[in-house]
Amino acid sequence: MTGTVDFAATTTLKLINQGTSNFYNTTFSGVGGTWYWTHANATTTNDLLITGAGTTTLPSGVLDVGGAFNNSGGAFIHNSGEVRLTTTGSGKTVRGN
């Protein structure tokens, strides 16, 4: 499965209920938005990008990222969880703001 889920809200207290499906690419682009995962664990099978000037609170358990993890514009709160980078391919990056 491919595609991008873009969280572009510019308001606060948005909840992410990923259910049992994985996201492929996940982007947080909303300026001033805040997002929270409702499940303890989540998976993005490719890239996770934080590009807007908002805040993303990661899951309290494990967030699996199968590609790049890039924060170029916003903030993320670790929420006492773990980010697990699972890619086996080359050319993927980890970038902080």
Side-chain angles (χ1 to χ4, degrees), residues 18-91:
Q18 189 170 350
T20 59
S21 298
N22 296 333
F23 294 144
Y24 182 71
N25 289 317
T26 306
T27 301
F28 295 91
S29 64
V31 175
T34 60
W35 300 271
Y36 304 86
W37 258 279
T38 59
H39 294 280
N41 300 308
T43 300
T44 294
T45 59
N46 199 40
D47 298 337
L48 187 138
L49 309 173
I50 302 172
T51 61
T55 302
T56 304
T57 300
L58 301 181
S60 60
V62 175
L63 173 63
D64 285 320
V65 178
F69 183 97
N70 290 324
N71 177 9
S72 62
F76 72 91
I77 298 171
H78 62 75
N79 201 18
S80 298
E82 172 185 344
V83 176
R84 187 179 307 157
L85 304 173
T86 60
T87 187
T88 57
S90 62

